[in-house]
Amino acid sequence: MPDIAALIATTVVPFLFKLVGAVALWIVGGWLIQFAMKLTRGALRSSNLDATVISYLLNILGAVLRVILVVAILGFFGIETASFAALLAGAGVAIGAAWSGMLGNFAAGVFLQVFRPFSVGDFITAAGVTGTVEEIGMFVTSMLAPDNVRNIVPNGKLFGDTIQNYSVHDFRRVELVAQLDNSADVAKAISLLKAGLATVPNQFKGMPGDVEVLEFSERGPKLAVRPYTHTSNYWQVYFDTNRMIVDVLGANGFPVPRIPVAMASAAAGSLN
């Protein structure tokens, strides 16, 4: 009986006190973590960060704080935590090496949400893909191409490439070329095309289109025909302007550009 009493007094009772202390530490630590998370959530929501980024940051913070709490409780029981911390660090390095690509995409996703080079609904070209941004995820971004094909682009590739955002400004320029024959009246063609360009709908108000000589070639002068429009109307203006060029030049008797005779003869000689 004295041995049992001594065992209870020297081992069981201290263990029970430590167990109660560990439970109390877990409860208090959990409450402090929730309080810290609540303060952090309020601070992040007052910033311009995306809700998805806030959720991921809070989850990471909560996981880190709970690991610290578990290590503290183990130390309270007298368990050596140095080896445990080294094990966690080694596991973190191994996971980081295995998921380096995923972590890179995650970091790029965070930067895309913070710096906002584009937003959902913007029409962009990046990583060799052109389309409308449908969703900016933490690892990938979804883009809808003009031919109605969805492209899923890794954020790391997207953020590491040049990004062209066509939706930032109120208008963009449509660049087309009208090829004239050497015998064509350039001044008359410019005048007619300017008048025809004024009839193309959905151009940007206050920005009249440009019709100017772009360059000279062996076939004849090339005219730059450049209306301005919003990105949402780009293709409609593009095709309507092309149709207008064909109609105006054809209706006014402008000749079809011809290959110069000397070049045609040289080409025929080379074939023989």
Side-chain angles (χ1 to χ4, degrees):
M1 292 297 293
D3 293 338
I4 296 176
L7 178 64
I8 294 174
T10 58
T11 304
V12 176
V13 173
F15 176 79
L16 291 177
F17 275 113
K18 283 188 176 182
L19 182 62
V20 172
V23 172
L25 183 60
W26 175 261
I27 294 174
V28 174
W31 181 84
L32 290 175
I33 289 174
Q34 293 298 324
F35 181 72
M37 296 279 288
K38 183 177 180 180
L39 292 179
T40 306
R41 184 182 293 108
L44 292 175
R45 285 180 176 175
S46 62
S47 64
N48 295 324
L49 290 178
D50 187 83
T52 307
V53 177
I54 294 175
S55 176
Y56 273 89
L57 291 177
L58 289 175
N59 288 337
I60 293 173
L61 177 62
V64 171
L65 292 177
R66 291 193 182 279
V67 168
I68 294 174
L69 178 60
V70 170
V71 172
I73 292 175
L74 291 177
F76 179 77
F77 271 102
I79 299 175
E80 182 61 41
T81 58
S83 57
F84 183 73
L87 179 63
L88 285 178
V93 172
I95 293 173
W99 289 359
S100 59
M102 293 293 291
L103 293 176
N105 289 328
F106 173 78
V110 173
F111 283 121
L112 288 175
Q113 298 283 2
V114 172
F115 294 110
R116 290 288 185 178
F118 54 82
S119 302
V120 173
D122 286 353
F123 188 78
I124 68 170
T125 293
V129 179
T130 298
T132 302
V133 179
E134 290 187 313
E135 181 183 0
I136 306 173
M138 294 311 302
F139 296 96
V140 296
T141 293
S142 174
M143 296 170 57
L144 183 65
D147 57 356
N148 205 38
V149 174
R150 175 175 294 174
N151 295 276
I152 308 300
V153 186
N155 286 337
K157 186 175 181 180
L158 195 67
F159 191 70
D161 197 5
T162 299
I163 300 173
Q164 292 180 300
N165 192 335
Y166 302 103
S167 300
V168 172
H169 301 294
D170 295 332
F171 62 89
R172 59 182 294 199
R173 187 173 69 187
V174 181
E175 298 195 8
L176 296 171
V177 174
Q179 175 70 62
L180 300 180
D181 186 71
N182 279 307
S183 62
D185 186 338
V186 176
K188 181 180 178 182
I190 291 176
S191 177
L192 291 172
L193 289 175
K194 282 185 175 180
L197 194 58
T199 64
V200 177
N202 292 322
Q203 295 185 63
F204 190 78
K205 294 181 180 179
M207 288 291 295
D210 304 320
V211 182
E212 299 294 343
V213 177
L214 180 64
E215 62 181 23
F216 294 94
S217 68
E218 61 278 356
R219 302 182 67 182
K222 292 182 179 180
L223 302 184
V225 183
R226 297 172 174 176
Y228 297 84
T229 185
H230 190 271
T231 298
S232 59
N233 300 318
Y234 179 87
W235 291 111
Q236 173 260 309
V237 173
Y238 181 96
F239 292 125
D240 285 354
T241 303
N242 258 332
R243 189 181 304 111
M244 180 276 298
I245 293 172
V246 174
D247 292 344
V248 166
L249 296 182
N252 288 276
F254 282 85
V256 177
R258 296 163 294 179
I259 299 177
V261 176
M263 291 187 61
S265 301
S270 63
L271 290 176
N272 293 330

